[in-house]
Structure formats: C-alpha cells, structure tokens
Amino acid sequence: MSALKLGAVDYLNARPLVQGLDGRADRFALRFDPPSRCAALLHAGEIDLGMIPSIEYLHGNDYRVVPGVSIASFGDVASVAVFAASPVEKIRRISLDSSSRTSVALLRVLCERHFQIAPEFVTRPPDLPSMLRDADAALLIGDPALFAGPEANGLTKLDLGAAWRELTGLPFVWAFWAGRANVLSRADVHALQAARDAGVASGDAIAEKYGEGDSARVARGRAYLRNNMKYGLGDAELAGLQRFYELAEGKNGVRPHFYEN
C-alpha cells in the first residue's frame, strides 16, 4: 500500500497525536500546517486525512472521523483566547486569527450568548501588536496564544474554552482526524489511536523537544499538555460537539460518521 498523506496541525497541542508516526514512513507521510490550511488541503483532495477544525466537518463531503481521537478541552484551554485592551463589554472590534475556523465560529457564538456583545470582526495574520492597531481585541489560537510574550502585558486574556464550559457545562472539541470514506484500514485506525496513547504518555518529552532548550517554554508546554489538553472523543465530547454545531450553524443532532474501529 502507498503511504497515506496526513495533514497535521503545526501546533504543540497536535504533537501527541502524531507520536511515532514519523517512524512509519512506509504507511504515513506527514505534513504540518495551520488548521485552516489542513481543512483546505483535505477539501481539495490533496491529503488523505486531515486534522481539521471541528467546524469543517460540516463543510466536507461525507467525511469519516477516526474514533476516540480529538484535540479537546474541558474548561481552560490556554491556547485559544481573546486578548482584550478594553473591558469585554466595551469591545467593539475584534481581529480574528486568519489561521482559525472553529475558534472564529465559537467566538461568534460566545459574543452573542455569553459575552453579550456584537462587535465588528476583521481577519488578520496572527501577530498580536498589529492585530490590535485597529481593534479593541484579538483572537489568537495555538502557540501564539499559548506562548504570548511581553506584547500581551496589560491585556485581558479571555479563554474561550473556559467561556464555553461556563455557557454549556460541556467539553469543547477543537479538531479531529477526518477524511473520505475507505482511505483508512482498521489497522490504520488502530495505529492512529496508538499514536495518541503514546503521545499522551510522552507529554513531558514532547514539550521538552518542542521547547528547544527554552526552560520557560518547556515548563509552559508541559503544564499545558498535562492540564489543558484532552485527546479523547467520548460521549461527553460528542455532546459538546453537537451543541456547538447547533449553536454555530443551527445543525441539530449531528454526530460524526466514524471509520471502523
């Protein structure tokens, strides 16, 4: 069999899901991109399986999802946040991270139902200072949000995972592996589940490697993988996903179709 083309997210939170797959070049060919690019590549048929933003499942062509595997959180996520220069009730304009799709949809839900504001939205590359030049707040996702440096000083960080839990009491599913039907065998599914298990068990080592000798970055990464990230896709996560689809796009009772386990 030829190698499957896998499109993974180029953030720390995705690394546990690909643990050891680089040693399976006979079966898996990995590339890393921002979440929005992963979705675009899958929709275009340029990869076989993508770690896509969860909202993009609704925009695909009868995709299947790898069972039991996701990037999720229950409460604080730390890496998806609005950085605000104004009190939340005074926010009038928000710059949106151009890398994001699910987080943008979530923010729109939260603005209406949780923060109770109706801001204008503009899309910008993920650079906090430039995003705030003409806006009261900026949505950042992934590593730029997790490792925001001195440029975030004096800003309020509104964690969207925490806000979602306050609104719904449910976990939030940010991304999962999805692709067209029949591209994965059961052995492939099991290999991806095993990669997740190995990655979760190796979180400290993953953070150490990812931090490249920066002790503060390594410590932040370790705490993040231990305390904020969840990698299952069980009943609670599926309930959160269904609620998100309902609030974001008016889709009721959507449950992903899964590859055979």
Side-chain angles (χ1 to χ4, degrees):
M1 290 187 291
S2 59
L4 285 165
K5 293 179 283 186
L6 305 186
V9 176
D10 192 18
Y11 296 142
L12 173 59
N13 61 16
R15 296 294 164 152
L17 295 187
V18 298
Q19 182 73 359
L21 295 183
D22 54 353
R24 294 283 312 276
D26 60 318
R27 188 55 182 150
F28 300 112
L30 268 171
R31 60 175 291 165
F32 294 91
D33 294 283
S36 58
R37 180 65 176 153
C38 286
L41 289 168
L42 184 63
H43 295 334
E46 295 181 33
I47 55 176
D48 297 309
L49 193 75
M51 197 179 291
I52 63 169
S54 58
I55 197 72
E56 289 300 308
Y57 179 79
L58 299 178
H59 307 149
N61 183 19
D62 193 26
Y63 288 153
R64 298 293 186 269
V65 173
V66 173
V69 180
S70 79
I71 297 174
S73 62
F74 185 43
D76 287 2
V77 65
S79 58
V80 182
V82 169
F83 291 84
S86 303
V88 65
E89 66 274 9
K90 294 184 179 180
I91 293 174
R92 298 293 177 264
R93 197 169 203 239
I94 301 178
S95 290
L96 303 174
D97 189 330
S98 59
S99 305
S100 174
R101 294 189 178 179
T102 286
S103 302
V104 167
L106 174 59
L107 178 58
R108 291 179 184 274
V109 169
L110 292 172
C111 282
E112 177 184 354
R113 294 176 174 267
H114 185 67
F115 300 132
Q116 298 185 333
I117 56 176
E120 175 189 2
F121 297 105
V122 294
T123 301
R124 299 282 185 267
D127 177 74
L128 190 55
S130 62
M131 293 173 85
L132 290 172
R133 283 181 194 143
D134 61 351
D136 309 301
L139 170 67
L140 280 179
I141 71 167
D143 295 354
L146 178 65
F147 298 113
E151 69 273 14
N153 289 344
L155 302 176
T156 299
K157 184 177 181 180
L158 304 170
D159 188 297
L160 297 200
W164 174 255
R165 181 175 179 178
E166 290 170 8
L167 178 65
T168 67
L170 294 167
F172 193 84
V173 177
W174 304 97
F176 43 61
W177 286 118
R180 286 168 297 285
N182 302 320
V183 301
L184 295 188
S185 68
R186 286 187 177 179
D188 296 327
V189 169
H190 295 162
L192 292 167
Q193 293 169 337
R196 173 208 56 200
D197 294 343
V200 170
S202 304
D204 285 0
I206 290 170
E208 183 81 34
K209 182 178 179 180
Y210 202 79
E212 297 181 335
D214 182 329
S215 60
R217 191 178 177 91
V218 168
R220 182 74 176 113
R222 283 177 174 169
Y224 172 64
L225 294 179
R226 288 177 185 173
N227 303 325
N228 301 107
M229 287 292 92
K230 312 294 181 186
Y231 292 102
L233 189 55
D235 289 343
E237 289 79 19
L238 289 170
L241 188 64
Q242 288 180 322
R243 183 66 172 145
F244 174 51
Y245 289 159
E246 177 187 347
L247 295 180
E249 295 209 5
K251 305 284 188 178
N252 295 319
V254 175
R255 186 181 179 92
H257 299 289
F258 292 103
Y259 290 106
E260 290 188 23
N261 197 354

